[in-house]
Amino acid sequence: MANRNAGFDPEEFTRAARELGARLRESRKLLVIVGLVIVGLAAVWGSYYQIEPDEVGLVTRFGRFVRTTGPGPHGKFPFAIERVQKVPVQRQLKQEFGFRTLRAEVQSSFHKDERTQAESVMLTGDLNVATVEWIVQYKVSDPYKYLFRMRDVEETFRLMSEASMRTVVGDHSVTELLTVGREAIAAKAKELLSNMCTLYDNGISVQQLILQDVDPPEPVRPSFNAVNQAIQERERAINEAWAEYNQEIPRARGLAEQKIQAAEGYAVDRVNRAKGDAQRFVALEEQYRKSPEVTRTRIYLETLAAVLPTAGKKLIFDEKAKGILPMFPLGPGQEVKP
Amino acid sequence: MRLRSLVIGAAIAVLAIVTLSSALYTVAETEQVIITQFGEPIGQAVTQAGLHLKTPFAQEANIFEKRWLEWNGNANQVPTRDKKYIGVETYARWRIADPLLFFQRLRDEGRAQSRLDDIIDGETRNVIASHDLIEVVRTTNRAFEKGEEAEDIMEAESMREIELGRNKITRLILEHVQHVVPDYGIELVDIQIQRVNYIESVQAKVFDRMISERKRIADRHRSEGQGKSAEVRGKKERELKVIESEAYRKTQESMGKADAEAATIYAQAYNRNPELYRFLKTMETYHSTIDKDSWLVLSTSADAFRYLQAQNAVAGAKAAPAKR
């Protein structure tokens, strides 16, 4: 109801004001109605809020926390009297270190730059350098503390995560970090981070801490691969030696067994033959004892009968015909040995 | 006059609204307020959230954070006691514990941040510079698991026992800082070393060292492989010799035993009549010595041919086989 047409003449001023007043009186009802409708709509709109299934709403009245509301439609005092802040308590939240997921799809794409690189480079306990990438999954366990205890909870949580990961990695050798120690390191870092959350009382509960790529720094990577190669080489050399061993030893065992068996065969053969020969001799000797002369002569003559025909040349002469030198025609190339 | 009363009413309403809005102020859950009267602080801080009253116009509500606040340090290049240049990044969390004092000394957060920069960076430098790098990196003296590599690969320096370790060093910084900041109405809740890295020129040298270390490990594996395979081959050679010689011993043993047994058997039998044995054996030799290339020169005085002579020829002459 301000008056902008202020003039020097008071009469003019009053007349103008009266005119304005009359016009206003005419439209006042309409103005009031429109104003009330607008205010009413704003009040209704400002009184209603909805909480999604995975959230809770924290209501503050003139800045003071008054109540927590669960999922569903709710009412509150409109305008600045009551405000609601929504916190996703059921949702599992995630922070990534050393990389950022650009799009999570079947084939997710990742992004790395200098900033994420700085997150992942750290010193190991043996004063080597490694790049460690990991993720932390967490939930808001206490929305009141989450909202009101700490400014920029999420960023602080990132720093806490980095500090605890570096603390744990700083107590392991680079070899442990790259091979056997992975699980222990993740578990230890998670424990440390949880303890820190308790200490900071920030209303966050750590669900999981998972190590992603853990690598030696880029310039050193080939020599780490060379170590793996050397390990393979070592295994191969040893395996080859054992293969040779396994090829030759059983064969040698078999051959040895064969020789032993053959010797045993020889032994049996030898003894049996001896026994046979002996029995034959004994049997003959028994008969011989009964008539030695005849048997002896018989054997002698039988032998001669068998042997004489086989001899190539035979010469029979009388002892009494002395002086006659027996003459033998020697064949060519044949010599007489004395 | 209708109009005058309307104007006056409007003026009063405006005045009332202005006065009320100056007399009322809200304090959020995250805030605390110091009331000042013409710039001079009045009473204690208001920490209770909600709607509050103050004297309008004369008094002013100065709002401060009640929550834990951030302080993130920049990367400081600091030499450690053992002359390693490293970049150290720390972060701290603090809160305005005494808003009145804070208001008097620092006035606002910006100034607080720069004061914290000075104090914490300075303390961090002091503490880091008076300790070896290993003390900042490690927390405990736990022994590393020796996977594939042996202990002599480890750098002697990195295997040194630590005296304090990372946690105690951060606590040391924290304690030093906690000593100073209460003067500013600040409470320091925690300090953590967020990152420790070699500065770039040192890093290159560290990489070189890592490469040579890995080379040593690789060489070791290779020679270990050669050694182990030679060992296996040696074992193989030895076992071959054992197997062969044992087989030889066993064959000789059983053959010898058999020979001995046979000799006993022969001796037993032939001793019954050695003369007969000699005779029979001689006969046997004839069979084996005389063949178609042999010449037999026989005398008629031999037994076999004595009947070629006169009936009364002397008996007992022997056959004399001659082999050419």
Side-chain angles (χ1 to χ4, degrees), chain A residues 125-318:
Chain A
D126 47 0
L127 299 184
N128 288 322
V129 181
T131 62
V132 180
E133 293 172 6
W134 76 99
I135 61 156
V136 177
Q137 290 176 338
Y138 62 99
K139 269 186 182 173
V140 178
S141 57
D142 188 330
Y144 178 82
K145 286 175 182 167
Y146 180 79
L147 282 183
F148 301 131
R149 254 192 82 78
M150 189 177 280
R151 192 164 73 188
D152 209 353
V153 192
E154 301 275 328
E155 187 52 34
T156 305
F157 189 62
R158 285 196 73 84
L159 300 182
M160 289 156 68
S161 182
E162 279 198 35
S164 38
M165 180 56 81
R166 280 178 167 77
T167 304
V168 176
V169 167
D171 235 5
H172 287 79
S173 68
V174 69
T175 313
E176 283 177 310
L177 176 64
L178 292 170
T179 55
V180 288
R182 277 182 68 110
E183 268 173 50
I185 287 170
K188 198 90 175 291
K190 187 199 160 188
E191 190 195 320
L192 224 58
L193 186 57
S194 292
N195 291 347
M196 252 184 177
C197 285
T198 315
L199 176 76
Y200 286 28
D201 209 13
N202 59 1
I204 286 178
S205 77
V206 182
Q207 304 281 307
Q208 274 191 49
L209 189 152
I210 304 163
L211 283 188
Q212 307 286 317
D213 285 354
V214 179
D215 287 309
E218 197 69 60
V220 188
R221 223 165 279 177
S223 53
F224 270 82
N225 289 338
V227 170
N228 285 336
Q229 229 167 33
I231 291 175
Q232 298 303 319
E233 257 173 60
R234 185 192 63 185
E235 295 305 311
R236 207 190 57 222
I238 296 172
N239 284 340
E240 276 173 3
W242 276 111
E244 255 175 58
Y245 176 93
N246 288 336
Q247 262 171 19
E248 287 180 34
I249 293 297
R251 193 167 138 264
R253 283 227 172 84
L255 285 175
E257 192 55 31
Q258 184 192 4
K259 279 183 195 158
I260 291 167
Q261 291 295 333
E264 268 164 22
Y266 166 85
V268 172
D269 176 79
R270 185 97 172 98
V271 171
N272 279 341
R273 276 175 202 283
K275 278 181 181 160
D277 287 348
Q279 267 160 21
R280 185 174 159 200
F281 181 79
V282 168
L284 184 68
E285 197 264 347
E286 263 162 21
Q287 292 310 310
Y288 178 79
R289 206 175 292 163
K290 284 176 194 161
S291 44
E293 202 54 39
V294 173
T295 309
R296 193 186 166 93
T297 310
R298 178 181 58 80
I299 291 170
Y300 175 68
L301 291 175
E302 272 174 13
T303 303
L304 279 188
V307 167
L308 282 178
T310 62
K313 296 270 190 305
K314 288 165 276 266
L315 180 69
I316 301 161
F317 64 92
D318 199 334

Side-chain angles (χ1 to χ4, degrees), chain A residues 38-50:
Chain A
I38 288 171
V39 169
L41 277 177
V44 168
W45 192 75
S47 307
Y48 171 80
Y49 68 97
Q50 189 177 334

Side-chain angles (χ1 to χ4, degrees), chain A residues 1 17 62-65 118-119 121-129 144 147-151 156 159-160 162-163 166-167 170-176 180 196 199-200 217 219-220 223-224 226-227 230-231 233-234 237-238 241-242 244-245 248-249 252-253 256 259-260 263-264 266-267 270-271 273-275 277-278 281-282 284-286 288 296 299-300 303-304 306-308 310-319 328 334-335, chain B residues 3 6 26-30 48-51 65 67-70 72 91 93 109 133-134 137-140 142 144-145 148-149 157-158 166 190 192-198 207 209-211 213-214 217-218 221-222 224-225 228-229 232-233 235-236 239-240 243 247 250-251 254-255 258-259 261-262 265-266 269-270 272-273 275-277 279-280 283 286-287 290-292 294-301 303-305 309 319 324:
Chain A
M1 321 218 166
F62 295 121
R64 180 173 190 174
F65 171 73
E119 286 169 357
V121 172
M122 53 187 81
L123 294 194
T124 60
D126 47 0
L127 299 184
N128 288 322
V129 181
Y144 178 82
L147 282 183
F148 301 131
R149 254 192 82 78
M150 189 177 280
R151 192 164 73 188
T156 305
L159 300 182
M160 289 156 68
E162 279 198 35
R166 280 178 167 77
T167 304
D171 235 5
H172 287 79
S173 68
V174 69
T175 313
E176 283 177 310
V180 288
M196 252 184 177
L199 176 76
Y200 286 28
V220 188
S223 53
F224 270 82
V227 170
I231 291 175
E233 257 173 60
R234 185 192 63 185
I238 296 172
W242 276 111
E244 255 175 58
Y245 176 93
E248 287 180 34
I249 293 297
R253 283 227 172 84
K259 279 183 195 158
I260 291 167
E264 268 164 22
Y266 166 85
R270 185 97 172 98
V271 171
R273 276 175 202 283
K275 278 181 181 160
D277 287 348
F281 181 79
V282 168
L284 184 68
E285 197 264 347
E286 263 162 21
Y288 178 79
R296 193 186 166 93
I299 291 170
Y300 175 68
T303 303
L304 279 188
V307 167
L308 282 178
T310 62
K313 296 270 190 305
K314 288 165 276 266
L315 180 69
I316 301 161
F317 64 92
D318 199 334
E319 263 182 355
F328 302 106
Q334 286 179 317
E335 286 166 48
Chain B
L3 182 73
L6 199 76
T26 60
V27 178
E29 285 287 337
T30 59
Q48 183 74 30
L51 200 60
E65 272 286 347
R67 294 179 287 189
W68 290 22
L69 302 175
E70 59 272 26
N72 299 339
Y91 78 82
R93 286 299 174 265
E109 242 183 71
L133 173 59
I134 191 83
V137 173
R138 300 209 60 181
T139 310
T140 65
R142 72 174 276 282
F144 297 143
E145 260 179 75
E148 295 280 354
E149 64 208 64
E157 149 205 41
S158 63
R166 190 190 190 106
D190 194 25
Q192 289 286 335
I193 298 174
Q194 181 204 346
R195 293 173 186 168
V196 176
N197 284 314
Y198 294 113
F207 286 172
R209 195 201 71 216
M210 287 176 81
I211 289 170
E213 211 172 274
R214 292 298 122 180
I217 294 172
H221 284 309
R222 250 178 236 118
E224 211 175 88
K228 280 254 170 67
S229 63
V232 171
R233 289 209 173 86
K235 183 178 152 75
K236 184 197 75 185
E239 274 178 37
L240 280 178
I243 290 165
K250 277 187 184 155
T251 55
S254 55
M255 280 160 76
D259 286 343
E261 201 182 335
I265 292 166
Y266 282 127
Y270 298 156
R272 291 165 73 107
N273 194 336
E275 174 51 35
L276 177 63
Y277 171 68
F279 171 68
L280 285 175
M283 289 299 110
Y286 293 171
H287 279 288
I290 295 164
D291 57 22
K292 64 177 176 30
S294 308
W295 286 70
L296 276 183
V297 181
L298 298 162
S299 161
T300 46
S301 62
D303 261 3
F305 302 104
Q309 287 183 332
R324 192 182 53 87

Side-chain angles (χ1 to χ4, degrees), chain B residues 137-177:
Chain B
V137 173
R138 300 209 60 181
T139 310
T140 65
N141 271 320
R142 72 174 276 282
F144 297 143
E145 260 179 75
K146 285 168 198 120
E148 295 280 354
E149 64 208 64
E151 60 269 47
D152 62 295
I153 292 298
M154 303 284 190
E155 290 280 309
E157 149 205 41
S158 63
M159 297 314 292
R160 225 203 65 208
E161 298 259 304
I162 54 163
E163 285 158 24
L164 294 174
R166 190 190 190 106
N167 281 353
K168 285 192 183 134
I169 281 181
T170 48
R171 208 168 307 147
L172 217 60
I173 302 173
L174 181 64
E175 275 165 19
H176 287 185
V177 177

